[in-house]
Amino acid sequence: MSYDNLIEVTGRVNDLLNAGSVLSWDARTMMPKGGAETRSKQLATLAVAARNLLCSDETKRALDGAASDVANKADDSPEARIVAQVREAIDYHERIPTELLRRKTELGSSAHEVWAEAREKADFSLFAPALTTMVDINREMAQAIGFEDHPYDALMYRFEPGTTNAGLAKLFARLREGMIPLVRAIGEAEKPRSDFLFRDYPVDGQMEFALNMAKKIGYDTDRGRLDTTVHPFEVSFTRNDVRITTRVNRNYMPMSLFGALHEAGHAMYEQGVDPAYTRTPLATDLISLYAVGGVSFGAHESQSRLWENHVGRSRAFWNNHMDDIRDAYPGTLDDVSEEEFYRAVNRSEPSFVRVEADELTYDFHVMVRCELEAKMVDGSLDVADLPEAWNATMKEYLGVDVPDDGKEGVLQDVHWSSGQIGTFCNYTIGNIMAAQLFDTATAKNPGIQTALDGGDYTPLRTWLTDNVAQHGRRFSRDELLENATGRALDPEPYLAHLTRKYTDIYSLAAA
Amino acid sequence: MSYDNLIEVTGRVNDLLNAGSVLSWDARTMMPKGGAETRSKQLATLAVAARNLLCSDETKRALDGAASDVANKADDSPEARIVAQVREAIDYHERIPTELLRRKTELGSSAHEVWAEAREKADFSLFAPALTTMVDINREMAQAIGFEDHPYDALMYRFEPGTTNAGLAKLFARLREGMIPLVRAIGEAEKPRSDFLFRDYPVDGQMEFALNMAKKIGYDTDRGRLDTTVHPFEVSFTRNDVRITTRVNRNYMPMSLFGALHEAGHAMYEQGVDPAYTRTPLATDLISLYAVGGVSFGAHESQSRLWENHVGRSRAFWNNHMDDIRDAYPGTLDDVSEEEFYRAVNRSEPSFVRVEADELTYDFHVMVRCELEAKMVDGSLDVADLPEAWNATMKEYLGVDVPDDGKEGVLQDVHWSSGQIGTFCNYTIGNIMAAQLFDTATAKNPGIQTALDGGDYTPLRTWLTDNVAQHGRRFSRDELLENATGRALDPEPYLAHLTRKYTDIYSLAAA
């Protein structure tokens, strides 16, 4: 049957993409420095091989036959969706010249070392040539892919289909409207103490505690592992091997812990995809050419932010685990109450670094990046002028004076080094989705909140598996949201959550 | 130019094979157990993709053009050799049905877990079904590849071109003739003390010392790393990323140390290949479909055995490094002299386990395996009868009574689990080549031995790089030997070395 042939050949596309993911994981966790140059060629070859196999006559023949095989299936059946998605992906990739893909992938890998050095030395000029090439390649890609309104729309399509620059502007405006009053009020309120977060927390102990908490919320280490990297990430090589990393600062313990909870949230999405979808297009992003089961990068981020913020930074979580963390660091937290700890890990203050930003100010970091990316992509901002624009926009949105271009400045994020432009919106979309999903889950199922209050994460995880993870890429992000919550992307539960939480913690006057 | 196209497309074949190597390394060092099943599919897809790209119309077109491009080059020029090797490899692979390759690779990966469990439980029946399939697949492959005399010849061609079952029999007979009198005389001689090798050596300390010694002889960790595995191995992802593993027994320190020296010898072969050959067929075994620069598996083994035995187990080595090892394990070796240590690590005694066998009895383990493999392949030995035949042949050659089928019996080696049949001869060919090369290097260049006596490994490494490693796969194994030593494979220097060494250590009467 042609449909089976389609499953077989797309299974091989999935294998090639998963191989690329293993090579990327290795490059960021294990590889000696000598390996960087040829590794980038290997990654490029895998991406091109996957793309070529997807667009091969073999796949097209199988696809044409499969279309007849599934003609009497429902439009949203897994089979019909697979056929439609393969067709769409072939159409998408045939618009992008192979050479462009190869250059992008090669540069995306080799630029990582350059970026790491530039970041370390806080010297933007070292990275500027690679970034210029990267922006040019992305502009070429936007032209090849096509767009109606703004070239940035074409780039965001890879990661968050349906998102437009104009739509983002509206969403960001609504968020600012709700958040800025909170940020201002917090700036004038008394700060909770947080001195104890900066005490001496041994590195090995942090890794052990972070992994224990990730397992506690449901991360399955029989199908995963935790390592350390400069920039934390999650990556899957099918649902049965889903790895996470975190980073450790001996004198700032929350970094390793919340990094691990965040990445575990991502990981549980992949670990929860229907096993029947393994190696199929419903566990393969054939547009972005990543072998993932998550339906969009924003949907993925919703799961990491939900577990990190709605669970890990909740009062209930610390009521349940304060003794665990005291036991993990004997003598270090004896003078700290549950409530003090809860408030400390929710302290909000404008800062320089996105991955360390608190829940409330995080989205401003996203807005800065989306705005500057869109301008680089439409040509209204030169790469050479990026640091200046960065610093000015950070001042405007967060009121901070960026100290330099390195770890606390324009070079802080790994994304551009890997050739990704158009992904930052995913973080904010993830924040919004997380609140929307958590709100529905707990409102519709009071037992979920009761379980969380008692330190039992199974009911919430089950609801998320049933409503999000198991479906893999079968439904679009908005279909998924509508099925789960009754409506498309909606920022109101997120704003309500932030208002409720910070009004309480900082004893603000109710709006 | 067509030649450049040939280099480009074979470079991509090399990339795919190197990706497979990364996935194999990961599977044996880092992968959580859940990953095994899909990993085997991923490896199969990479192998088939590499084979298909090699045999593609694109490669053939480039090859035809390249043949004209290099028509006026010398027959042994790198360019002419590349063209000839690609042509030979296409011819070879087109004889093997793709489905057979896919089945072999898939099984080779999934059978690893089965083998590991069977070995752990010493239960051959668990592994027998997989091995039966593996033998059948190998027999089919031998028929497809073709042979003149014995099907085992066709299988050995993959790893050690030119080796025949008949030729091996002659070589083994000559070795037995020289070795058996030594083994007998040692059996009657007084044994050197070795109690101190079984003391308590902390695991971390062993890994540190093993790595330090590997670096001392010339292993470059900027282009490599050391990890622990059940079965030690070396693997390269181009000359710039060449990794080794070893295994650690807290109460038997030589295992980690000589394992690391052995694998470092392999690694220095790959690290020493001419950089100009990177990603070309001169650093890609297009027959066995491994991305290696070594010209044959036996040639590779010559480098590991040379560094392990001729250097690491030499009197000079321990005269130079006895203080280092005393410092590495404070208080543990204070009562042991250089000479006692040297004798202990050269103690010879028939044993059960190949990878722990001493230099003198090692080849008997090889003979057992080659003999049994040949019989399974020609159908004169059923897999079901293998354990019995194993135990009987071990008794005949080594005089030992194998205790069970697990770690000390027929299941001890990883090779069959990965589908490799026909590789064991490589170890003995490596032993022979190691002695032949070491003999020539030191006889022709007295400065090399003087340097070794002073703990300086650079002149020997330089000679080996110049005469072996740098050439990658440009010359055949016998061309390489003739260029370096003036003659083809010759067991006499090896027998002379063993006789000299063991006569001295055991104070045997001169023959």
Side-chain angles (χ1 to χ4, degrees):
Chain A
M1 197 164 107
S2 290
Y3 181 77
D4 294 336
N5 292 343
L6 185 67
I7 291 299
E8 168 54 25
V9 69
T10 52
R12 283 191 270 139
V13 173
N14 175 278
D15 290 335
L16 292 168
L17 294 174
N18 270 313
S21 297
V22 175
L23 267 64
S24 295
W25 174 85
D26 178 80
R28 291 167 71 177
T29 55
M30 301 290 161
M31 188 175 75
K33 63 184 176 187
E37 191 185 338
T38 44
R39 180 58 53 90
S40 62
K41 287 187 192 295
Q42 292 156 1
L43 284 165
T45 291
L46 288 168
V48 171
R51 183 263 174 218
N52 286 348
L53 182 56
L54 174 66
C55 298
S56 69
D57 290 342
E58 185 181 0
T59 309
K60 288 177 186 166
R61 268 195 309 272
L63 180 63
D64 287 342
S68 326
D69 290 346
V70 306
N72 57 354
K73 298 266 183 189
D75 274 356
D76 70 350
S77 66
E79 297 82 1
R81 286 291 164 102
I82 284 175
V83 167
Q85 287 177 20
V86 173
R87 193 182 299 288
E88 186 207 352
I90 292 176
D91 176 58
Y92 173 88
H93 289 291
E94 289 196 332
R95 279 180 267 157
I96 303 170
T98 316
E99 263 323 290
L100 198 55
L101 178 65
R102 175 178 290 278
R103 271 167 54 213
K104 179 162 185 293
T105 314
E106 264 190 45
L107 185 63
S109 187
S110 64
H112 186 86
E113 303 287 306
V114 177
W115 163 78
E117 191 192 344
R119 180 178 188 262
E120 189 60 38
K121 296 183 175 163
D123 184 350
F124 182 77
S125 70
L126 294 176
F127 183 55
L131 183 57
T132 302
T133 310
M134 207 68 94
V135 169
D136 288 346
I137 289 174
N138 273 280
R139 294 181 62 175
E140 279 185 68
M141 289 194 74
Q143 293 301 329
I145 294 163
F147 53 89
E148 285 192 9
D149 185 26
H150 194 281
Y152 197 44
D153 302 350
L155 298 179
M156 289 192 290
Y157 182 81
R158 275 191 74 206
F159 307 103
E160 203 64 31
T163 306
T164 61
N165 200 38
L168 269 190
K170 238 185 269 183
L171 197 64
F172 288 162
R174 172 68 190 121
L175 291 181
R176 282 196 297 269
E177 187 183 15
M179 290 171 169
I180 286 175
L182 276 175
V183 174
R184 290 215 176 117
I186 287 170
E188 287 159 16
E190 194 188 341
K191 295 183 192 341
R193 69 176 280 220
S194 64
D195 58 291
F196 47 83
L197 299 178
F198 301 88
R199 290 175 179 165
D200 185 23
Y201 294 87
V203 170
D204 288 351
Q206 287 196 47
M207 288 301 284
E208 191 185 335
F209 186 70
L211 184 59
N212 281 344
M213 287 295 112
K215 287 160 80 168
K216 179 82 79 181
I217 61 171
Y219 175 56
D220 177 1
T221 50
D222 282 347
R223 300 185 285 140
R225 52 177 288 143
L226 172 69
D227 295 277
T228 54
T229 43
V230 173
H231 189 97
F233 66 97
E234 171 272 338
V235 64
S236 62
F237 321 132
T238 77
R239 73 191 294 281
N240 288 320
D241 187 356
V242 184
R243 305 188 190 177
I244 61 175
T245 71
T246 190
R247 52 180 184 169
V248 183
N249 180 334
R250 185 164 179 142
N251 297 111
Y252 186 61
M253 177 269 295
M255 189 182 277
S256 61
L257 172 60
F258 291 102
L261 292 178
H262 179 98
E263 303 306 336
H266 280 300
M268 290 190 283
Y269 195 166
E270 295 296 324
Q271 291 186 331
V273 173
D274 189 332
Y277 296 171
T278 299
R279 290 181 81 240
T280 77
L282 301 184
T284 319
D285 187 343
L286 295 173
I287 298 291
S288 74
L289 292 177
Y290 287 101
V292 293
V295 70
S296 78
F297 283 54
H300 232 296
E301 200 66 19
S302 79
Q303 301 305 288
S304 56
R305 301 299 270 179
L306 190 155
W307 286 102
E308 177 191 356
N309 287 334
H310 292 266
V311 178
R313 291 188 207 270
S314 69
R315 186 175 271 129
F317 193 82
W318 292 107
N319 282 340
N320 284 305
H321 299 301
M322 198 62 211
D323 284 342
D324 296 333
I325 200 166
R326 284 199 196 99
D327 290 349
Y329 306 106
T332 309
L333 290 166
D334 292 353
D335 62 331
V336 182
S337 73
E338 281 81 338
E339 184 65 19
E340 283 175 318
F341 195 88
Y342 162 65
R343 289 179 186 223
V345 298
N346 282 293
R347 198 174 144 125
S348 174
E349 199 161 19
S351 63
F352 305 119
V353 180
R354 178 182 59 83
V355 295
E356 289 162 26
D358 58 77
E359 201 178 345
L360 177 61
T361 60
Y362 192 96
D363 297 295
F364 293 99
H365 292 267
V366 172
M367 294 177 207
V368 168
R369 286 156 179 77
C370 290
E371 192 174 314
L372 297 177
E373 281 192 342
K375 284 180 181 169
M376 287 194 288
V377 167
D378 71 22
S380 61
L381 174 66
D382 279 349
V383 167
D385 300 327
L386 178 64
E388 199 181 332
W390 176 278
N391 296 349
T393 320
M394 286 293 287
K395 180 77 180 177
E396 182 190 344
Y397 283 151
L398 285 156
V400 296
D401 294 300
V402 175
D404 63 39
D405 293 340
K407 290 178 183 174
E408 302 200 311
V410 66
L411 289 167
Q412 65 184 258
D413 287 311
V414 72
H415 304 60
W416 294 334
S417 82
S418 67
Q420 289 184 2
I421 292 182
T423 74
F424 283 110
C425 66
N426 313 133
Y427 296 109
T428 289
I429 288 169
N431 286 336
I432 293 169
M433 278 183 73
Q436 190 173 340
L437 289 165
F438 188 79
D439 190 57
T440 300
T442 49
K444 279 197 196 163
N445 310 276
I448 289 179
Q449 187 59 56
T450 310
L452 291 174
D453 291 342
D456 176 5
Y457 306 101
T458 306
L460 175 61
R461 196 174 63 250
T462 303
W463 190 91
L464 289 168
T465 303
D466 291 348
N467 286 276
V468 181
Q470 68 156 331
H471 301 299
R473 299 178 54 78
R474 176 174 171 192
F475 302 114
S476 74
R477 185 199 74 198
D478 283 336
E479 284 174 340
L480 196 78
L481 273 177
E482 275 166 30
N483 292 342
T485 72
R487 58 202 191 284
L489 192 71
D490 172 11
E492 299 312 321
Y494 181 43
L495 289 170
H497 157 77
L498 293 173
T499 304
R500 199 166 51 235
K501 181 171 187 174
Y502 286 101
T503 301
D504 167 52
I505 291 177
Y506 282 87
S507 309
L508 307 178
Chain B
M1 199 165 105
S2 291
Y3 180 77
D4 293 336
N5 292 344
L6 184 66
I7 291 299
E8 167 54 24
V9 70
T10 52
R12 283 190 270 139
V13 173
N14 175 279
D15 291 334
L16 292 169
L17 294 174
N18 270 313
S21 297
V22 175
L23 266 64
S24 295
W25 174 85
D26 178 79
R28 291 167 68 176
T29 55
M30 301 289 162
M31 188 174 75
K33 62 185 176 185
E37 192 186 337
T38 45
R39 181 58 54 89
S40 63
K41 287 187 191 296
Q42 292 156 1
L43 283 165
T45 291
L46 288 168
V48 172
R51 182 262 174 219
N52 287 348
L53 182 56
L54 174 66
C55 298
S56 68
D57 291 342
E58 184 181 2
T59 309
K60 288 177 186 166
R61 269 196 308 272
L63 180 62
D64 288 341
S68 328
D69 290 346
V70 306
N72 57 355
K73 298 267 184 187
D75 274 355
D76 71 350
S77 66
E79 295 83 0
R81 286 292 165 102
I82 285 175
V83 167
Q85 287 177 19
V86 173
R87 193 181 299 288
E88 186 207 351
I90 292 176
D91 176 57
Y92 174 89
H93 289 291
E94 289 196 332
R95 278 180 267 156
I96 303 171
T98 315
E99 263 322 290
L100 199 54
L101 178 65
R102 175 179 290 278
R103 271 166 54 212
K104 180 163 185 292
T105 313
E106 264 189 46
L107 185 64
S109 187
S110 63
H112 186 86
E113 303 289 306
V114 177
W115 162 79
E117 192 192 342
R119 180 178 188 262
E120 189 61 37
K121 295 184 175 163
D123 184 350
F124 183 76
S125 70
L126 294 177
F127 184 54
L131 182 57
T132 302
T133 311
M134 207 68 94
V135 169
D136 288 345
I137 290 174
N138 272 279
R139 293 181 63 176
E140 279 185 67
M141 290 195 74
Q143 292 301 329
I145 294 163
F147 53 89
E148 286 192 7
D149 186 24
H150 194 281
Y152 198 43
D153 302 351
L155 299 180
M156 289 192 289
Y157 183 82
R158 276 189 75 205
F159 308 104
E160 204 64 31
T163 306
T164 62
N165 199 37
L168 269 190
K170 237 185 271 182
L171 197 64
F172 287 162
R174 173 67 190 120
L175 290 182
R176 282 197 296 267
E177 186 182 17
M179 289 170 171
I180 285 175
L182 277 176
V183 173
R184 290 213 178 122
I186 286 170
E188 289 159 17
E190 195 189 342
K191 295 183 189 345
R193 71 177 279 221
S194 64
D195 58 292
F196 47 83
L197 299 178
F198 301 87
R199 289 174 180 167
D200 185 24
Y201 294 87
V203 170
D204 287 352
Q206 288 195 46
M207 288 301 284
E208 191 184 336
F209 186 69
L211 185 58
N212 282 343
M213 287 295 111
K215 286 160 82 167
K216 179 81 79 179
I217 62 172
Y219 174 56
D220 177 1
T221 51
D222 282 348
R223 300 186 286 140
R225 54 178 286 143
L226 172 68
D227 295 277
T228 54
T229 44
V230 174
H231 189 97
F233 67 97
E234 171 271 339
V235 63
S236 62
F237 322 131
T238 78
R239 75 191 293 279
N240 288 320
D241 186 356
V242 185
R243 306 188 189 177
I244 61 176
T245 71
T246 191
R247 53 180 182 167
V248 183
N249 179 335
R250 184 161 181 147
N251 295 112
Y252 187 61
M253 176 269 295
M255 189 183 277
S256 61
L257 173 60
F258 290 103
L261 292 178
H262 179 98
E263 303 306 336
H266 280 300
M268 289 189 284
Y269 196 166
E270 295 297 321
Q271 290 186 331
V273 173
D274 189 333
Y277 296 171
T278 299
R279 290 181 81 240
T280 76
L282 300 182
T284 319
D285 186 342
L286 294 174
I287 298 291
S288 75
L289 293 178
Y290 288 101
V292 293
V295 71
S296 77
F297 283 54
H300 231 295
E301 200 65 20
S302 78
Q303 302 305 288
S304 56
R305 301 300 271 178
L306 191 154
W307 286 103
E308 177 191 357
N309 287 333
H310 293 266
V311 178
R313 291 187 208 270
S314 70
R315 186 175 271 127
F317 193 81
W318 292 107
N319 282 339
N320 284 305
H321 298 301
M322 198 62 211
D323 284 343
D324 295 333
I325 199 166
R326 285 200 196 97
D327 290 349
Y329 306 105
T332 310
L333 291 165
D334 291 355
D335 61 331
V336 182
S337 72
E338 282 80 338
E339 185 63 18
E340 283 175 315
F341 195 88
Y342 162 65
R343 290 179 184 222
V345 299
N346 282 292
R347 198 172 143 125
S348 174
E349 199 160 17
S351 63
F352 306 118
V353 180
R354 178 182 59 82
V355 296
E356 288 162 25
D358 58 77
E359 201 177 346
L360 178 60
T361 60
Y362 192 97
D363 298 295
F364 293 98
H365 293 267
V366 171
M367 294 177 208
V368 168
R369 286 155 178 78
C370 290
E371 194 174 313
L372 297 177
E373 280 192 341
K375 286 181 182 168
M376 286 194 288
V377 167
D378 71 21
S380 61
L381 174 65
D382 278 350
V383 166
D385 300 327
L386 178 64
E388 199 184 330
W390 175 279
N391 296 349
T393 320
M394 286 293 288
K395 180 78 180 175
E396 181 191 345
Y397 283 152
L398 285 155
V400 295
D401 293 300
V402 175
D404 63 39
D405 293 340
K407 289 178 183 174
E408 302 200 312
V410 66
L411 288 168
Q412 65 185 260
D413 288 311
V414 73
H415 303 62
W416 294 334
S417 84
S418 68
Q420 289 183 3
I421 292 183
T423 73
F424 284 109
C425 66
N426 312 135
Y427 296 108
T428 290
I429 288 169
N431 286 336
I432 293 170
M433 278 184 73
Q436 190 173 340
L437 289 165
F438 189 78
D439 189 58
T440 300
T442 49
K444 278 196 193 161
N445 309 276
I448 288 179
Q449 187 59 57
T450 310
L452 291 174
D453 291 342
D456 176 7
Y457 306 101
T458 307
L460 175 61
R461 197 173 63 250
T462 304
W463 191 90
L464 289 169
T465 304
D466 291 349
N467 286 276
V468 180
Q470 69 156 331
H471 300 299
R473 298 178 54 79
R474 177 176 170 189
F475 301 115
S476 74
R477 184 200 75 197
D478 283 336
E479 284 175 340
L480 196 79
L481 273 177
E482 274 165 29
N483 291 342
T485 72
R487 60 203 189 284
L489 192 70
D490 172 10
E492 300 311 322
Y494 181 44
L495 288 171
H497 156 76
L498 293 173
T499 305
R500 200 165 51 235
K501 181 171 186 174
Y502 286 101
T503 302
D504 167 51
I505 291 176
Y506 282 85
S507 309
L508 308 178

